[in-house]
Amino acid sequence: MSTDKSRKYWNPYVGGIFLGLVLVAAFFFSGRGLGASGAVKSVTVAAVETVAPEYAENSAFYQNYNASHKGGPLNNWLVLEMLGVLVGGFISGALSGRLKFKVEHSPKITSRRRIIFAVIGGILFGFGSQMGRGCTSGSALTGMAVMSVGGFVTMAFIFGTAFGLAYFFRKLWI
Amino acid sequence: MGPLIIFDHISPFTNLLLAFIVGIGFGFVLESSGFSSSRKLAGMFYGYDATVLKVFFTAAIVGMLGILFLSLFGWLDLSLIYINPTFMSSAIVGGAIMGAGFIIGGFCPGTAFCALSIGKLDALAFVGGLVIGVLIFTEGFQLWEELYKANNMGIPTMNEVLNIPRGLFALGLIIVALAMFWVAEWAEKKFPREEY
């Protein structure tokens, strides 16, 4: 536990304080909190409209989406914010010597198995974040900071379900 | 005074620029806290690494208090900030599906982008999955539209539901969080694992 490697990461409480301050800054500047899944949605909608414009024009969902997102999906606060996340994560990784292409997995499973489960987990999270109107960042964390009932409920069900299912997927991680 | 964009203190372009800068801070903090490692994130659910709980709840409390204090100083108008609406059915179902995705995939969307930025290929696979998941939702929207819009409760906040002042709810949450941190420190000692 207390090897040299463990000192590479920040103290989690310090990290939490800085993350909270970033969240407050977002509210002060823009009147809104952090988010991640919304950016994926914007880019996905933009991609569908580019690849299959006729199809998107005739779909009720895309019409609704465009009516509520003026200026096109890429002219979007969350997309810019997530591009920033890629830059910020890269800078932190570079400063700490963590830039490396790798598939991280438990020694009990293969890289291939890890990738398959990562895709399945991503599909579930992508779908769930749309159903729940936001993910861990946009609904749970930001929702909690503004005391939203929905934010607390979503947070409880994300962590509760993950705890409840942890036993069945333990070989993936430990 | 704040939110700056709503009072026209900044232009829409500056607002997007600030989104990018906020994102850099977000990504930097996530990566520095170890959220670019799926095994570290998953450790939360086996007791060997409670970093997620500590960072997440500390951030929620600091965010909550920060917003309250800015409002107290008159620097942020709470009636103008976005508060997540509550659709009870979809919050529960969506949250449960996300929880399954978390323990199976090892990331949530924000942490996946953070991990992708330092070259984690499992994060790239997770992000690919996210796109597929979003597409399934949008393409099949009519199938779950009813569930998505069910039990619309408006934008209730916890202090309103409990009928207590905002500050008192914040104090209660701080006490709950401190109790959880204590349990987390205990669990990490009981189920030690090496760092990933």
Side-chain angles (χ1 to χ4, degrees):
Chain A
M1 285 294 280
S2 52
T3 59
D4 283 348
K5 278 176 82 181
S6 67
R7 261 183 252 127
K8 291 199 308 183
Y9 292 123
W10 286 357
N11 176 300
Y13 301 111
V14 173
I17 289 170
F18 277 101
L19 182 54
L21 293 176
V22 170
L23 179 58
V24 174
F27 272 106
F28 181 66
F29 296 145
S30 308
R32 53 163 308 147
L34 303 170
S37 55
V40 178
K41 183 184 194 170
S42 293
V43 173
T44 305
V45 167
V48 169
E49 288 176 339
T50 308
V51 175
E54 284 180 20
Y55 171 78
E57 266 175 37
N58 293 316
S59 156
F61 181 86
Y62 293 102
Q63 285 175 347
N64 280 340
Y65 185 86
N66 286 334
S68 58
H69 292 73
K70 298 254 160 55
L74 290 178
N75 185 13
N76 179 304
W77 199 93
L78 282 179
V79 173
L80 267 295
E81 180 231 27
M82 285 316 288
L83 289 174
V85 166
L86 290 173
V87 173
F90 181 84
I91 294 171
S92 169
L95 293 176
S96 311
R98 285 193 287 267
L99 297 182
K100 193 183 172 191
F101 286 111
K102 77 168 186 178
V103 177
E104 185 181 357
H105 60 85
S106 161
K108 289 178 190 157
I109 62 168
T110 60
S111 291
R112 188 162 165 265
R113 193 173 172 81
R114 168 71 187 118
I115 291 292
I116 292 169
F117 277 92
V119 173
I120 295 171
I123 292 172
L124 288 168
F125 222 123
F127 183 90
S129 67
Q130 297 315 304
M131 179 61 78
R133 293 176 174 76
C135 58
T136 332
S137 315
S139 185
L141 178 62
T142 302
M144 281 173 72
V146 294
M147 303 187 188
S148 156
V149 172
F152 276 86
V153 171
T154 304
M155 179 276 296
F157 275 85
I158 292 175
F159 288 112
T161 310
F163 266 116
L165 296 176
Y167 177 81
F168 304 102
F169 296 102
R170 62 192 184 283
K171 279 188 186 154
L172 293 177
W173 308 113
I174 56 176
Chain B
M1 185 176 177
L4 297 183
I5 181 68
I6 292 176
F7 287 102
D8 286 332
H9 292 306
I10 54 174
S11 67
F13 176 80
T14 308
N15 192 36
L16 288 178
L17 184 68
L18 288 170
F20 184 64
I21 292 167
V22 163
I24 291 175
F26 188 22
F28 192 94
V29 174
L30 287 180
E31 209 291 322
S32 299
S33 301
F35 280 25
S36 52
S37 162
S38 54
R39 291 187 80 194
K40 196 170 176 66
L41 293 167
M44 169 73 228
F45 304 108
Y46 300 96
Y48 63 79
D49 190 327
T51 302
V52 170
L53 182 138
K54 295 180 202 170
V55 174
F56 185 88
F57 277 92
T58 306
I61 288 169
V62 170
M64 185 182 282
L65 288 179
I67 290 167
L68 283 180
F69 276 107
L70 286 184
S71 156
L72 196 66
F73 302 151
W75 293 352
L76 183 66
D77 187 338
L78 289 190
S79 66
L80 296 176
I81 63 172
Y82 178 79
I83 296 178
N84 311 54
T86 300
F87 290 73
M88 194 50 85
S89 305
S90 63
I92 291 172
V93 174
I97 295 172
M98 284 188 267
F102 205 161
I103 197 66
I104 293 170
F107 290 113
C108 59
T111 53
F113 279 96
C114 167
L116 176 59
S117 76
I118 65 159
K120 293 283 171 69
L121 299 173
D122 41 336
L124 183 62
F126 187 92
V127 170
L130 285 178
V131 172
I132 298 170
V134 170
L135 272 177
I136 293 172
F137 184 85
T138 55
E139 293 303 309
F141 186 63
Q142 286 164 328
L143 295 175
W144 27 78
E145 188 173 4
E146 201 176 324
L147 174 63
Y148 181 70
K149 293 177 175 169
N151 283 321
N152 181 0
M153 296 167 61
I155 47 171
T157 57
M158 294 298 284
N159 58 296
E160 287 167 7
V161 171
L162 299 171
N163 201 18
I164 56 174
R166 284 175 191 275
L168 189 59
F169 180 77
L171 179 66
L173 192 75
I174 290 170
I175 293 168
V176 171
L178 289 176
M180 288 193 300
F181 294 156
W182 186 79
V183 172
E185 298 293 344
W186 169 84
E188 284 183 342
K189 285 197 185 75
K190 190 169 161 66
F191 309 105
R193 289 284 194 291
E194 61 182 287
E195 284 283 337
Y196 299 118

